[in-house]
């Protein structure tokens, strides 16, 4: 079987999904090749001759090999300015690819002027005309040769992000034309979200043989008639992927110690809306997996992919460190109120925690069911700073229970804790399709298309997206303490590279 990770996603670490599937297939004696066509395709476009008409583009094209090398060089991460120049120039080179066909390609995203990944008709059109995809010059040979080598049996696509959808379907269209008999399987986070939407009907029949929702190992092994598919768990196997080629200063080891979320209550979150179950790897086993993978891969950083790292896993890592620095998403829970616990995390290698604080207003947090007490959040942030762990704080504006007064309290809280916040992510609230709250506020189409993940809603207090944007741009981002935190964020790769810059 051939497993494909399609463009475009951040090309800084190997894809965990196909690494886990590879491991599951290998354990059952099934020959399998994992291809990161995202990384390969982006490197191809970067190094492909482009017509550059202005001075900046010509310089960016001339320096592209140097900039690729600099993103793999740890010393580049000593200077955010140098790093920013390299990634901005690389993004410029990519923007030259596919322009004549209406594409805007970037290091971490892609858009087409007319086609949308939210419309099945556009995905089918991408499949009908694969030659119109900007990555076609690369995948038309690479993909077909790989399928030929695998014996034209089965090809699986790991489709996790909207930015991967149009290219995935272009590749599927090419395969259908060239190898009509090959079985095509489509899974990954985005496919799971589609399939868990209320009223889902498969619009891809005839093109895709099997769609898989949720963790793919069991269903894929079932498809391959292996028998014990559901009974086992598999640690990822990255050995087939080109670890030295990623755009990072050393290997990043992604590891998922759970699917779903142990909290699973936040009213705005797709996890409860999609009814995803929380399935953890037993913490001691996860710590043992990580130690083994660190021995084998010698990573410079572990990326824990869990929606929220459980307190039990944190404790297991503190007791039994993996042997490499690590970061990931955590909830602001009681355990972070204990400075000694935070120090034990730092000793275990924790460089940065991503924290979904969302709001600096207690009423908003309560109505979201975040389970966060602001007085405790304040202590947790200061404990992390004192322990030497950077906090990457996520804020959410425009939720149904927030209006300007509450947003201003978020500003006050953030500015008041600026010395304990290393990085900030500011997001506008989106109402997930199927969220408990959605009906209450009157839904309306948010994006055109039959595959939306979010729905529009009427804000009960008129705090709509326009007003929120005005507040963020006119006030929030301009606050000197907040502006200084926002300037720390690595462009394009953001939290994926932030730990390399982390100075708590
Ligand atoms: S803690 Fe995070 S993943 Fe879990 S329900 Fe809340 S927002 Fe979703």
């Amino acid at each position: 079987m051939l497993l494909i990770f399609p463009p475009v996603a951040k090309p800084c670490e190997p894809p965990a999904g196909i690494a886990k599937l590879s491991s599951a297939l290998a354990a059952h004696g099934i020959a399998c090749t994992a291809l990161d066509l995202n990384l390969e395709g982006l490197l191809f476009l970067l190094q492909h001759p482009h017509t550059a008409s202005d001075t900046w583009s010509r310089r960016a094209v001339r320096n592209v090999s140097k900039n690729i090398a600099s993103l793999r060089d740890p010393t580049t991460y000593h200077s955010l300015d140098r790093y920013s120049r390299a990634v901005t120039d690389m993004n410029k080179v990519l923007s030259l690819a596919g322009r004549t066909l209406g594409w805007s390609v970037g290091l971490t995203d892609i858009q087409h002027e007319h086609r949308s990944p939210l419309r099945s008709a556009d995905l089918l059109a991408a499949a009908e005309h694969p030659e119109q995809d900007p990555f076609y010059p690369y995948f038309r040979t690479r993909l077909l040769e790989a399928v030929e080598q695998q014996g034209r049996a089965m090809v699986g696509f790991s489709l996790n992000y909207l930015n991967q959808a149009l290219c995935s379907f272009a590749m599927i269209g090419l395969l259908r034309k060239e190898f009509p008999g090959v079985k095509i399987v489509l899974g990954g986070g985005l496919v799971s979200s589609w399939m868990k939407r209320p009223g889902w009907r498969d619009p891809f029949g005839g093109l895709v043989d099997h769609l898989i929702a949720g963790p793919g190992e069991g269903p894929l092994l079932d498809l391959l008639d292996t028998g014990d598919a559901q009974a086992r768990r598999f640690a990822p196997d990255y050995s087939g992927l080109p670890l030295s080629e990623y755009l990072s200063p050393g290997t990043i080891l992604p590891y998922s110690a759970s699917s779903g979320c142990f909290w699973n209550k936040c009213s705005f979150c797709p996890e409860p809306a999609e009814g995803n179950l929380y399935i953890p790897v037993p913490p001691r086993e996860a710590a043992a997996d990580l130690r083994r993978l660190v021995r084998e891969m010698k990573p410079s950083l572990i990326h824990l992919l869990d929606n929220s790292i459980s307190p039990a896993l944190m404790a297991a890592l503190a007791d039994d460190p993996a042997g490499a620095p690590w970061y990931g998403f955590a909830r602001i829970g009681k355990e972070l109120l204990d400075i000694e616990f935070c120090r034990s995390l730092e000793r275990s290698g924790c460089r940065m925690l991503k924290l979904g604080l969302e709001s600096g207003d207690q009423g908003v947090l309560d109505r979201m069911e975040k389970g966060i007490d602001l007085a405790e959040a304040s202590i947790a942030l200061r404990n992390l700073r004192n322990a030497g762990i950077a906090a990457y704080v996520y804020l959410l504006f425009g939720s149904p229970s927030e209006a300007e007064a509450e947003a201003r309290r978020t500003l006050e809280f953030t500015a008041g804790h600026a010395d304990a916040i290393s990085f900030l992510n500011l997001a506008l609230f989106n109402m997930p399709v199927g969220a408990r709250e959605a009906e209450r506020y009157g839904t309306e189409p948010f994006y055109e298309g039959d595959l939306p993940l979010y729905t529009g809603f009427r804000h009960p207090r008129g705090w709509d997206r326009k007003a929120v944007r005005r507040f963020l741009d006119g006030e929030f981002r301009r606050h000197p303490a907040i502006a200084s935190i926002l300037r720390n964020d690595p462009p394009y790769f953001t939290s994926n590279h932030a730990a390399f810059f982390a100075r708590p």
Side-chain angles (χ1 to χ4, degrees), residues 261 263-266 268-269 271-272 307 331 370:
C261 169
W263 179 255
N264 211 32
K265 289 184 192 165
C266 304
F268 59 88
C269 177
E271 287 298 324
N307 282 315
R331 270 181 50 71
K370 271 304 289 187

Side-chain angles (χ1 to χ4, degrees), residues 351-368:
R351 289 289 167 271
M352 181 176 90
L353 287 181
K354 301 200 284 177
L355 303 166
L357 174 64
E358 321 304 357
S359 174
D361 179 89
Q362 190 61 55
V364 171
L365 290 172
D366 293 347
R367 284 187 288 276
M368 282 177 174

Side-chain angles (χ1 to χ4, degrees), residues 183-361:
K183 284 254 175 300
I184 295 178
V185 187
L186 192 54
L190 181 61
V191 177
S192 303
S193 295
W194 285 342
M195 294 174 72
K196 291 185 175 184
R197 279 184 50 219
W200 158 253
R201 287 206 347 257
D202 175 10
F204 308 122
L207 195 60
V208 177
D209 296 289
H210 303 282
L211 291 161
I212 293 178
E217 302 84 79
L220 195 55
L221 291 170
D222 274 345
L223 274 177
L224 293 161
D225 289 330
T226 54
D228 67 337
Q230 307 298 339
R232 299 176 51 190
R233 71 165 196 90
F234 305 93
D237 173 7
Y238 292 104
S239 58
L241 291 158
L243 298 182
S244 61
E245 301 283 303
Y246 289 91
L247 300 183
S248 289
T251 299
I252 298 179
L253 159 56
Y255 183 86
S256 184
S258 64
S259 59
C261 169
F262 70 89
W263 179 255
N264 211 32
K265 289 184 192 165
C266 304
S267 60
F268 59 88
C269 177
E271 287 298 324
E274 291 174 6
N276 297 329
L277 295 177
Y278 178 55
I279 307 172
V281 176
R284 300 264 154 227
E285 288 181 34
D289 277 354
L290 282 168
R291 254 187 299 112
R292 180 182 57 74
L293 288 163
V294 166
R295 268 199 313 276
E296 289 168 10
M297 294 169 65
K298 303 188 177 31
S300 54
L301 187 64
I302 296 168
H303 179 188
L304 293 175
L305 303 169
D306 304 44
N307 282 315
S308 191
I309 304 169
S310 69
L313 179 59
M314 286 198 245
L317 290 172
D319 280 355
D320 185 10
W326 61 271
Y327 82 101
F329 257 114
R331 270 181 50 71
I332 301 175
K334 302 270 183 230
E335 58 288 342
L336 298 185
L337 303 181
D338 176 354
I339 179 71
E340 286 314 317
F341 183 76
C342 296
R343 290 202 171 110
S344 71
L345 289 184
E346 195 278 336
R347 283 194 298 275
S348 79
C350 181
R351 289 289 167 271
M352 181 176 90
L353 287 181
K354 301 200 284 177
L355 303 166
L357 174 64
E358 321 304 357
S359 174
D361 179 89

Side-chain angles (χ1 to χ4, degrees), residues 32 74 120 141 275 371 446 467 477 480:
C32 159
S120 60
T141 43
F446 183 41
R477 291 180 210 275

